[in-house]
């Protein structure tokens, strides 16, 4: 009977060791995923920011007394806010992932990835929509100005 207990305890210890290794591998994979998320969205945020700045420059000569200008200014501001949020998330995501990985917190990494990915995707979509709306408005303004001139 004693050898059976020893065998069971050996199996139990082995399962604990394997479970710890699996969790460690999972933490490493989750860390890599979080870092990859930051690397994926950083250039996307930069591209949106450059686009927003170009639109802003393009619209500098638009008269401020046009009826749609306050809405256009609001959309440009909203897009800028979303881009800044994206930059803040991508700028801190790697450090947060490093800290969670060092503490071996797989759950925290999963939450960080899920929340960051969702927020980044939403902000990117909203900023893109706002900028597209402003570009369309500017195009209409430029076309009407060209027809008058």
């Amino acid at each position: 009977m004693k050898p059976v207990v020893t065998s069971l305890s050996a199996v139990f210890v082995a399962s604990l060791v394997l479970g710890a290794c699996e969790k460690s591998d999972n933490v490493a994979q989750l860390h890599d995923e979080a870092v990859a998320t930051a690397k994926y969205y950083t250039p996307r945020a930069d591209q949106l920011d450059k686009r927003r700045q170009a639109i802003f420059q393009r619209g500098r000569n638009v008269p401020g007394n046009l009826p749609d200008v306050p809405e256009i200014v609001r959309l440009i501001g909203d897009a800028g806010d979303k881009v800044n949020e994206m930059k803040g998330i991508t700028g801190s995501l790697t450090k947060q992932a490093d800290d969670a990985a060092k503490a071996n917190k797989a759950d925290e990494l999963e939450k960080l990835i899920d929340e960051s990915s969702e927020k980044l995707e939403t902000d990117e979509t909203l900023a893109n929509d706002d900028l597209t709306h402003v570009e369309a408005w500017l195009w209409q303004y430029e076309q009407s100005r060209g027809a008058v001139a």
Side-chain angles (χ1 to χ4, degrees), residues 22-49:
E22 183 178 313
K23 184 174 182 180
S24 178
D25 288 346
N26 192 32
V27 167
Q29 290 172 341
L30 290 169
H31 176 268
D32 290 347
E33 185 178 343
V35 171
T37 300
K39 287 181 180 179
Y40 175 78
Y41 279 102
T42 296
R44 297 174 85 81
D46 291 342
Q47 185 272 334
L48 283 168
D49 192 37

Side-chain angles (χ1 to χ4, degrees), residues 22-131:
E22 183 178 313
K23 184 174 182 180
S24 178
D25 288 346
N26 192 32
V27 167
Q29 290 172 341
L30 290 169
H31 176 268
D32 290 347
E33 185 178 343
V35 171
T37 300
K39 287 181 180 179
Y40 175 78
Y41 279 102
T42 296
R44 297 174 85 81
D46 291 342
Q47 185 272 334
L48 283 168
D49 192 37
K50 288 177 186 172
R51 182 176 163 206
R52 186 191 67 79
Q53 290 174 20
I55 291 168
F56 185 79
Q57 290 302 317
R58 190 173 146 200
R60 287 181 60 127
N61 295 324
V62 173
N65 61 352
L66 295 176
D68 293 335
V69 167
E71 175 67 7
I72 295 305
V73 169
R74 184 190 66 75
L75 290 172
I76 291 172
D78 288 351
D81 291 345
K82 296 301 177 195
V83 168
N84 288 335
E85 288 175 14
M86 289 177 71
K87 287 183 173 192
I89 293 168
T90 58
S92 66
L93 188 55
T94 299
K95 181 174 180 343
Q96 290 175 329
D98 289 347
D99 293 345
K102 286 177 187 170
N104 205 30
K105 295 183 176 179
D107 293 342
E108 189 175 319
L109 279 164
E110 287 175 353
K111 181 179 177 185
L112 180 64
I113 292 164
D114 291 345
E115 290 177 357
S116 297
S117 296
E118 182 178 343
K119 180 68 171 150
L120 287 164
E121 183 178 339
T122 300
D123 284 351
E124 180 183 27
T125 300
L126 292 173
N128 189 53
D129 289 350
D130 289 347
L131 294 176

